[in-house]
């Protein structure tokens, strides 16, 4: 098995071609090779959710995926998601409700929250808690995060209804 | 009218934090986000044994691997880093031997670092760690704190003769007589498991030593930069003013990131040896084995009451195992000390006797973690109170009403000698019972019991140590500042820079300080820029711990702001040819006092002061900068009080506990930003719930930690957590003009007691009770006799 492998992928809409160690995970690739440090590493074994981001439109844990596996994929990090404007309402709600303290879980939490909102699910507290249950936050106690996500989900309801 | 009730005051308003946008955009700067030129990476070989002699370390093979720059052992580090001793002299009799960042002779717990690799990348460093060959001679280990002092048990530090680190006794003298005369006595033995902080960002630092300047810069994820500066300067023998500690964003701390860790110290030592920047980021497994653990206490306690339910006496015996050393520089005796100081603290208790023993053992080191001692003190005190109420057939809320200190009885002193300045236990309890609709909840509980549904209501009154004076650490010889300072500086365009010695790790400190500064000076919030966490820039201070940042750091901001405003108005009066008392500074405008009539914008004044000094009278200094420091003088600690309640359901078949609701009424004095106080309470409560129900560092019989992943060590996740309702009583402290006390730890301090009491309330009709935390399904089922 070679120690390095060439990969071509899209990151936040831009094409990236790079040769990477085969053992490098996607989170470390984004952080160390592309300096996209908004993807945070919390446990490196897929439990804490801090490294959550989008690959081909679905949220994944970038610590459990090798960079080599992202070959040919469309990857979106928090930097790209924030710049896209898609989560402006969520970001504002997080700030308004103090749904973050240290902010280390926040990029991953926003991806999980955006996933809920994008699915046009209703502002149901139990359902939001269930949806965020793969994302660990040590600071807030979660209630303010649920408040923020429900507020945005409710705004969404007034715009077009829920699925 | 004071600065607090002025219509334009920002104090008491729930203003969103100014520093959140970058964090919601993924633009924070945590230590691992920093890359320096020629930076190297450290990884550690850790002891696989609880107790073992290092016969030989062969680093040759590791040193030859790709990317490896140096392999260092304890001997190499000891050559440049002086050992440290984690004792406080005011905790009389405490002992702990000199400790090195990495031992050269004996490893005394699993996970203790014994060798380090410095390489071009972390991956290469980890590869090389695997190639280090160590010959170990395993030694018998002292693991069980209950046996640590028994004859025949291995003695970890042979010169000491036994494994005792410290013992403290309190005795008011009349305990035996009080128990003999009691109408009822209840007794229980409580067990509190080890748990740890699990900060989502692990411990992290980069050490950068310049041989040219003989200066060390450390980028650090921590909460007390000046303390670390002092430690590094004295141990590494670098002039203290040439050690700079910089804390940018800190991904949670909770007391974890305030201690002297061997891996971090060795990284700094290696940077001095190599003259290149070195990064060390703990991985999650390292965090579990090498971050400090906390709690791990066994408390046997009894309470005597008279026939009317008045408490007569409390007696308790606390035993705790702290690992092989007492942690430098805060010591590992403080949790036990707090438990002796605080247990039963909300109540009038005429007689009190307590013994606390702190013992060495071959497990990870224990030290101060959020709410130090409080979760245990409150669970023991409140657990006994509920047992006593049940024994004499009294409602637990009524029992508390009878025994809580009266709101008009301050100042007063507890049986343990704690002095209380002004608390509101009775008002807080009344507010809580109303908030939760206590009587209705009791009726609901009774109705459901008839259907075989076991719900419990648990109450917990508490006191919390905040705003500590030097009585905490300074008097014991530790280089830990109890005072704190603030510099306020108005720049040429009327921007207000606020530099403070207290630090932000997510609690919202920058918002709180911004509100105080803007209010005291009279500027808009938007023109305030905060500077924290940099020993080169900020006034010398203690940092953020023991719920001190707002109460102590905030008072320094207030006093600096009042003086800066005075100077501005003095200059304005001269320029406007009037008297300072005719003027006011409001929202960055010089106005005629009592009106909103603008006489001059503040930026006009600053422009004159800095650029057109010719327009200033000769006796006016062009100096719009003020520094003020503040210390607590009249009390050892400024206590807060609060009360919490838990409502939960126990599944008697599976032992699972479902949390239905949690309430908290907190009195932290003047609340600068009520929303942030609420969020400190909520986050703290959930952290307390973690220890009460899930979190446990479990060791096997050979001293191996078996909970080293987040799949094995369970933390609170969103779906299991309750909704929390928070209420407030405000009793501003008279020890400062600001009147603020701390709010950071009460949630964590009180929640475990409320959960314990609620579980036992649920189990009461079944004749079962739990006395151990975490109260896992196994604990509950054992209590029910089902397993």
């Amino acid at each position: 098995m070679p120690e390095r492998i060439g990969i071509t992928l899209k990151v936040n809409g831009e094409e990236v071609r790079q040769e990477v160690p085969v053992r490098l995970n996607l989170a470390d690739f984004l952080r160390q090779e592309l300096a996209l440090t908004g993807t945070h590493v919390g446990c490196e074994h897929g439990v804490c959710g801090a490294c959550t981001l989008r690959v081909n439109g679905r949220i994944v844990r970038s610590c459990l995926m090798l960079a080599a596996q992202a070959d040919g994929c469309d990857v979106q990090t928090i930097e790209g998601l924030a710049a896209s404007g898609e989560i402006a309402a969520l970001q504002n709600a997080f700030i308004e409700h103090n749904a973050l303290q240290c902010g280390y879980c926040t990029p991953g939490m926003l991806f999980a929250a955006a996933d809920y909102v994008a699915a046009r699910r209703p502002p149901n507290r139990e359902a939001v808690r269930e949806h965020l249950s793969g994302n660990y936050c040590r600071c807030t106690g979660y209630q303010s995060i649920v408040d923020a996500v429900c507020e945005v989900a409710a705004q969404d309801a007034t715009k077009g209804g829920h699925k | 009218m004071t600065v607090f009730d002025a219509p334009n005051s920002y104090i008491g308003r729930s203003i969103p934090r100014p520093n959140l946008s970058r964090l919601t955009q993924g633009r924070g700067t945590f230590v691992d986000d920093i890359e320096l030129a020629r930076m190297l990476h450290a990884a550690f070989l850790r002891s696989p044994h609880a107790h073992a002699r290092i016969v030989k370390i062969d680093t040759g093979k590791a040193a030859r691997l790709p990317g490896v720059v140096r392999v260092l052992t304890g001997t190499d580090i000891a050559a440049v880093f002086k050992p440290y001793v984690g004792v406080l002299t005011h905790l009389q009799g405490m002992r702990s031997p000199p400790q090195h960042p990495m031992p050269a002779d004996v490893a005394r717990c699993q996970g203790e670092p014994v060798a380090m690799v410095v390489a071009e990348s972390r991956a290469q460093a980890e590869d090389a760690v695997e190639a280090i060959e160590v010959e170990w001679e395993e030694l018998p280990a002292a693991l069980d704190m209950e046996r640590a002092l028994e004859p025949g048990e291995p003695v970890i530090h042979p010169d000491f003769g036994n494994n005792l680190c410290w013992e403290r006794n309190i005795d008011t003298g009349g305990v035996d007589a009080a128990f003999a005369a009691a109408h009822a006595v209840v007794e229980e033995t409580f067990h509190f498991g080890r748990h740890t902080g699990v900060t989502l960002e692990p411990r992290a630092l980069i050490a950068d030593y310049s041989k040219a300047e003989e200066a060390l810069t450390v980028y650090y994820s921590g909460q007390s930069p000046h303390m670390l500066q002092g430690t590094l300067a004295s141990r590494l023998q670098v002039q203290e003013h040439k050690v700079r500690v910089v804390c940018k964003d800190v991904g949670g701390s909770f007391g974890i990131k305030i201690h002297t860790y061997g891996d971090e110290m060795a990284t700094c030592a290696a940077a001095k040896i190599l003259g290149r920047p070195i990064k060390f980021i703990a991985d999650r497994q390292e965090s579990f084995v090498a971050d400090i653990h906390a709690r791990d206490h066994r408390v046997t306690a009894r309470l005597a009451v008279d026939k009317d339910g008045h408490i007569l006496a409390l007696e308790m015996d606390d035993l705790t195992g702290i690992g092989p050393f007492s942690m430098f520089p805060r010591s590992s005796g403080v949790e036990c000390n707090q438990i002796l100081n605080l247990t039963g603290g909300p109540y009038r208790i005429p007689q009190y006797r307590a013994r606390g023993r702190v013992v060495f053992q071959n497990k990870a080191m224990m030290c101060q973690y959020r709410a130090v001692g409080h979760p245990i003190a409150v669970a023991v005190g409140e657990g006994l109170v509920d047992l006593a109420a049940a024994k004499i057939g009294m409602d637990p809320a009524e029992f508390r009403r009878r025994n809580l200190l009266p709101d008009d009885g301050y100042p007063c002193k507890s049986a343990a000698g704690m002095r209380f300045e002004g608390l509101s236990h009775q008002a807080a309890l009344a507010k809580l019972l109303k908030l939760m609709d206590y009587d209705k909840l009791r009726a609901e509980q009774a109705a459901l019991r008839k259907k075989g549904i076991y719900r419990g209501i648990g109450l917990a009154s508490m006191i919390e140590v905040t705003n500590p004076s030097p009585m905490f650490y300074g008097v014991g010889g530790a280089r830990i500042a109890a005072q704190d300072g603030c510099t306020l500086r108005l720049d040429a365009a009327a921007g207000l820079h606020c530099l403070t010695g207290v630090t932000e790790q997510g609690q919202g400190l920058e918002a709180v300080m911004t509100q105080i500064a803007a209010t005291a000076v009279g500027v808009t919030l938007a023109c305030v820029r905060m500077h924290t966490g940099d020993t080169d820039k900020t006034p010398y201070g203690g940092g953020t711990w023991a719920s001190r940042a707002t109460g102590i750091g905030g008072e320094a901001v207030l006093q600096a702001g009042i003086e800066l405003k005075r100077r501005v108005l003095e200059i304005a009066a001269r320029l406007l040819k009037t008297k300072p008392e005719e003027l006011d500074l409001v929202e960055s405008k010089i106005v005629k006092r009592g009106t909103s009539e603008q006489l001059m914008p503040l930026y006009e004044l600053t422009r004159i002061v800095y650029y057109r000094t010719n327009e200033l009278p000769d006796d006016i200094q062009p100096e719009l900068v003020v520094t003020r420091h503040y210390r607590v003088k009249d009390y050892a600690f400024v206590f807060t009080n609060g009360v919490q309640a838990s409502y939960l359901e126990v599944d008697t078949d599976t032992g699972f506990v479902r949390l239905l609701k949690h309430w908290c009424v907190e009195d932290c004095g003047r609340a600068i930003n009520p929303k942030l106080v609420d969020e400190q309470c909520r986050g703290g409560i959930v952290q307390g719930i973690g220890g009460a129900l899930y979190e446990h560092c479990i060791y096997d019989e050979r001293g191996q930690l078996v909970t080293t992943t987040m799949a094995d060590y369970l933390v609170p996740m969103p779906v299991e957590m309750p909704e929390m309702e928070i209420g407030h009583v405000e009793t501003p402290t008279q020890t400062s003009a600001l009147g603020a006390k701390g709010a950071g730890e009460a949630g964590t301090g009180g929640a475990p007691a409320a959960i314990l009491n609620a579980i036992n309330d649920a189990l009461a009709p079944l004749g079962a009770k739990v006395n151990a935390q975490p109260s896992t399904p196994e604990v509950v089922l054992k209590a029910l006799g089902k397993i």
Side-chain angles (χ1 to χ4, degrees):
Chain A
M1 192 171 169
E3 285 205 349
R4 299 178 78 84
I5 192 169
I7 58 171
T8 303
L9 67 162
K10 261 191 180 176
V11 178
N12 298 329
E14 284 183 39
E15 189 179 277
V16 176
R17 283 170 183 272
Q18 202 128 335
E19 194 170 86
V20 297
V22 292
R23 66 179 178 176
L24 188 68
N25 71 37
L26 179 59
D28 285 349
F29 169 70
L30 294 166
R31 292 180 51 81
Q32 294 165 13
E33 303 292 325
L34 305 186
L36 291 167
T37 54
T39 300
H40 294 156
V41 175
C43 73
E44 296 176 280
H45 54 263
V47 181
C48 79
C51 65
T52 304
L53 46 70
R54 272 186 196 152
V55 176
N56 295 339
R58 299 186 62 179
I59 54 172
V60 303
R61 290 170 186 230
S62 57
C63 75
L64 291 185
M65 186 169 178
L66 295 169
Q69 292 174 295
D71 185 37
C73 290
D74 188 347
V75 173
Q76 190 178 35
T77 71
I78 185 65
E79 291 90 345
L81 183 68
S84 76
E86 180 193 328
I87 57 163
L90 269 174
Q91 289 168 314
N92 288 338
F94 267 55
I95 292 169
E96 203 59 40
H97 290 276
N98 203 54
L100 62 153
Q101 288 185 26
C102 79
Y104 202 79
C105 74
T106 308
M109 197 67 82
L110 282 168
F111 267 108
D115 199 54
Y116 187 90
V117 172
R120 312 245 310 243
R121 297 181 61 189
N124 175 299
R125 299 185 74 83
E126 288 293 313
V128 169
R129 284 181 181 275
E130 185 74 46
H131 192 80
L132 299 178
S133 256
N135 289 74
Y136 169 57
C137 168
R138 188 51 136 180
C139 301
T140 62
Y142 302 109
Q143 186 165 326
S144 58
I145 298 175
V146 178
D147 290 344
V149 177
C150 283
E151 182 180 280
V152 176
Q155 288 164 3
D156 208 49
T158 60
K159 283 182 206 150
H162 293 105
K163 283 186 181 170
Chain B
M1 191 161 67
T2 69
V3 66
F4 305 112
D5 46 27
N8 49 27
S9 172
Y10 296 112
I11 291 174
R13 285 166 59 182
S14 295
I15 290 154
R17 292 160 55 197
N19 51 349
L20 292 188
S21 289
R22 73 167 189 277
L23 296 172
T24 61
Q25 293 173 28
R27 304 285 180 178
T29 307
F30 298 91
V31 171
D32 196 27
D33 301 341
I34 300 169
E35 290 289 326
L36 301 180
R38 300 182 74 245
M39 188 170 76
L40 301 170
H41 299 261
F44 289 87
L45 174 71
R46 297 176 182 277
S47 171
H49 302 294
H51 199 191
R53 186 172 310 284
I54 304 165
V55 179
K56 194 176 143 200
I57 301 185
D58 185 349
T59 61
K61 202 169 140 196
R64 291 191 293 275
L65 287 176
V68 173
V69 173
R70 192 73 68 89
V71 183
L72 296 160
T73 64
T75 310
D76 301 320
I77 299 300
V80 299
F81 202 99
K82 287 162 68 177
Y84 36 93
V85 178
V87 300
L88 295 168
T89 56
H90 68 301
L91 303 185
Q92 286 167 9
M94 175 178 276
R95 56 190 190 165
S96 185
Q99 186 180 12
H100 292 274
M102 298 198 290
D105 51 353
V106 175
R108 295 175 181 86
C109 68
Q110 182 217 11
E112 189 171 16
V114 296
M116 77 186 289
V117 176
V118 182
E120 298 289 345
S121 76
R122 170 73 184 225
Q124 289 172 323
E126 288 186 20
D127 289 344
V129 164
E130 305 249 312
I132 298 173
E133 288 165 3
V134 185
E135 188 183 325
W136 295 101
E137 178 197 338
E138 209 173 335
L139 301 170
L143 297 169
D144 183 355
M145 67 185 186
E146 295 282 359
R147 294 210 315 260
L149 298 177
E150 285 178 9
E153 188 71 358
V155 176
I156 297 172
H157 307 293
D159 291 352
F160 286 173
N162 63 28
N163 289 319
L164 185 69
C165 169
W166 184 56
E167 176 171 341
R168 182 187 173 196
N169 288 277
I170 300 175
D171 192 347
T172 56
V175 171
D176 291 330
F179 272 95
H183 168 71
V185 172
V186 290
E187 181 168 345
E188 182 62 282
T189 297
F190 301 88
H191 300 272
F192 301 91
R194 275 181 171 238
H195 54 259
T196 185
V198 201
T199 58
L200 188 50
E201 179 208 26
R203 288 186 296 107
L205 66 72
I206 300 168
D208 184 8
Y209 184 77
S210 161
K211 289 193 174 181
E213 291 183 282
E214 297 181 328
L216 177 69
T217 302
V218 178
Y219 298 91
Y220 176 55
S221 179
Q223 50 189 102
S224 186
H226 280 107
M227 186 189 94
L228 180 65
Q229 178 194 42
T231 298
L232 290 173
S234 64
R235 300 304 96 188
L236 266 177
Q237 299 177 75
V238 180
Q239 284 184 293
E240 188 154 327
H241 64 282
K242 289 187 178 175
V243 177
R244 180 185 183 193
V245 178
V246 181
C247 301
K248 294 181 180 248
D249 288 311
V250 174
S253 194
F254 315 113
I256 294 296
K257 298 172 178 173
I258 200 164
H259 308 296
T260 306
Y261 290 100
D263 45 25
E264 296 178 6
M265 298 305 110
T267 302
C268 295
K272 190 178 179 198
I273 293 169
L274 294 173
R276 286 178 68 175
I278 303 176
K279 178 186 275 188
F280 167 65
I281 312 288
D283 68 22
R284 187 53 58 191
Q285 192 262 347
E286 287 183 298
S287 301
F288 279 118
V289 300
D291 284 9
I292 56 113
H293 295 173
R295 321 308 185 215
D296 205 9
H297 288 251
R298 187 272 292 143
V299 182
T300 299
R302 58 187 191 133
L303 191 74
V305 297
D306 71 13
K307 63 179 173 24
D308 298 321
H310 294 116
I311 297 171
L312 300 172
L314 171 63
E315 180 174 23
M316 61 178 265
D317 180 53
D318 175 34
L319 176 68
T320 182
I322 56 158
F325 292 92
S326 173
M327 181 62 92
F328 180 80
R330 289 170 187 261
S331 96
S332 301
V334 172
E335 183 146 89
C336 170
N337 197 43
Q338 298 270 72
I339 291 165
L340 265 58
N341 282 343
L342 303 176
T343 303
Y347 303 102
R348 193 184 159 274
I349 299 181
Q351 298 294 341
Y352 181 50
R353 183 161 62 209
R355 176 175 71 157
R357 286 173 301 160
V358 176
V359 299
F360 296 116
Q361 59 182 172
N362 294 112
K363 291 182 180 175
M365 286 170 66
M366 293 225 307
C367 200
Q368 283 79 296
Y369 163 60
R370 193 176 196 177
V372 190
H374 293 70
I376 293 150
V378 183
V380 169
E382 296 304 286
L384 290 175
V385 159
D386 269 23
L387 287 173
K391 186 148 188 178
I392 61 168
M394 188 180 286
D395 180 90
E398 175 57 27
F399 187 93
R400 283 174 175 77
R401 253 193 300 260
R402 290 190 186 197
N403 286 285
L404 285 169
L405 294 168
D407 291 352
D408 59 0
Y410 299 98
C412 67
K413 199 171 177 180
S414 78
M418 297 295 104
R419 291 173 62 229
F420 304 130
E421 178 221 12
L423 301 173
S424 61
H425 287 296
Q426 299 285 352
L429 177 65
K431 189 156 189 173
L432 179 93
L433 297 176
K434 199 173 163 195
L435 203 62
M436 64 192 287
D437 208 341
Y438 183 76
D439 294 336
K440 192 174 158 198
L441 215 56
R442 283 281 177 215
E444 179 181 294
Q445 176 193 32
L448 288 170
R449 270 183 189 171
K450 288 179 193 149
K451 297 180 186 170
I453 294 169
Y454 293 93
R455 291 191 172 181
I457 299 166
L459 300 175
S461 287
M462 65 177 294
I463 52 172
E464 189 206 335
V465 169
T466 79
N467 297 9
S469 76
M471 299 309 286
F472 221 141
Y473 295 113
V475 292
R479 297 169 48 102
I480 299 169
Q483 61 73 40
D484 227 295
C486 169
T487 297
L488 287 177
R489 187 182 83 220
L490 265 175
D491 275 0
L496 181 66
H497 292 268
C498 177
L499 295 74
T500 169
V502 291
T503 55
E504 171 78 274
Q505 52 257 355
Q507 73 278 39
L509 174 111
E510 294 194 1
V512 166
M513 298 299 153
T514 298
Q515 287 174 257
I516 298 168
T519 301
V521 179
V523 297
T524 61
L525 287 172
C527 73
V528 181
R529 185 163 171 85
M530 289 299 307
H531 304 270
T532 65
D534 186 339
T535 55
D536 266 9
K537 292 202 305 194
T538 68
Y540 199 97
T544 295
W545 44 271
S547 297
R548 69 185 293 279
T550 300
I552 293 176
E555 178 70 8
V557 176
L558 179 68
Q559 294 304 331
I562 289 169
E563 171 60 14
L564 183 57
K565 181 177 192 165
R566 191 194 64 75
R567 285 193 200 174
V568 167
L569 294 182
E570 189 178 69
I571 296 169
R574 297 291 284 275
L575 294 172
L576 294 164
K577 303 198 185 327
T578 178
K579 291 178 187 157
E581 50 272 26
E582 302 292 321
L583 301 174
D584 202 357
L585 177 56
V586 177
E587 302 268 296
S588 300
K589 295 177 198 118
I590 312 288
V591 297
K592 194 173 167 194
R593 181 169 289 273
T595 76
S596 54
E597 183 192 337
Q598 177 176 308
L599 302 174
M600 180 195 273
L602 181 61
Y603 65 77
E604 179 65 19
L605 181 140
T606 54
R607 200 168 54 168
I608 292 168
V609 167
Y610 289 111
Y611 301 137
R612 289 154 58 181
T613 44
N614 57 304
E615 292 185 18
L616 291 178
D618 286 349
D619 60 331
I620 291 285
Q621 278 291 321
E623 186 178 65
L624 295 176
V625 56
V626 174
T627 298
R628 285 288 181 274
H629 285 250
Y630 170 73
R631 63 186 171 121
V632 174
K633 288 195 295 282
D634 305 325
Y635 286 84
F637 314 105
V638 181
F639 280 91
T640 69
N641 66 280
V643 57
Q644 295 186 29
S646 167
Y647 188 44
L648 53 75
E649 187 173 311
V650 179
D651 183 326
T652 55
D653 292 323
T654 65
F656 273 86
V657 171
R658 188 160 66 98
L659 303 172
L660 301 169
K661 187 91 192 257
H662 203 99
W663 298 265
C664 171
V665 173
E666 169 69 2
D667 185 346
C668 60
R670 191 181 314 283
I672 311 304
N673 185 319
K675 173 91 178 167
L676 294 181
V677 174
D678 287 359
E679 289 304 302
Q680 281 301 299
C681 290
R682 290 197 178 97
I685 287 165
V686 165
Q687 215 159 350
I689 289 171
L693 292 178
Y694 313 112
E695 299 184 40
H696 201 181
C697 299
I698 300 169
Y699 282 85
D700 71 9
E701 68 285 353
R702 293 185 63 194
Q704 299 286 315
L705 184 66
V706 297
T707 49
T708 60
T709 75
M710 292 184 71
D712 302 302
Y713 182 99
L714 303 181
V715 290
M717 297 301 272
V719 84
E720 293 89 10
M721 288 304 104
E723 301 285 333
M724 294 162 273
E725 209 171 325
I726 315 292
H728 300 279
V729 176
E730 276 199 25
T731 311
T733 173
Q734 304 301 313
T735 56
S736 70
L738 187 62
K741 311 177 198 175
E745 300 171 279
T748 306
I755 300 283
L756 182 78
N757 282 348
I759 293 173
N760 283 332
D761 187 44
L763 296 180
L766 301 168
K769 65 177 174 169
V770 300
N771 58 11
Q773 290 190 331
S775 301
T776 59
E778 183 185 350
V779 168
V780 172
L781 290 177
K782 275 185 180 159
L784 286 164
K786 295 197 175 179
I787 57 171

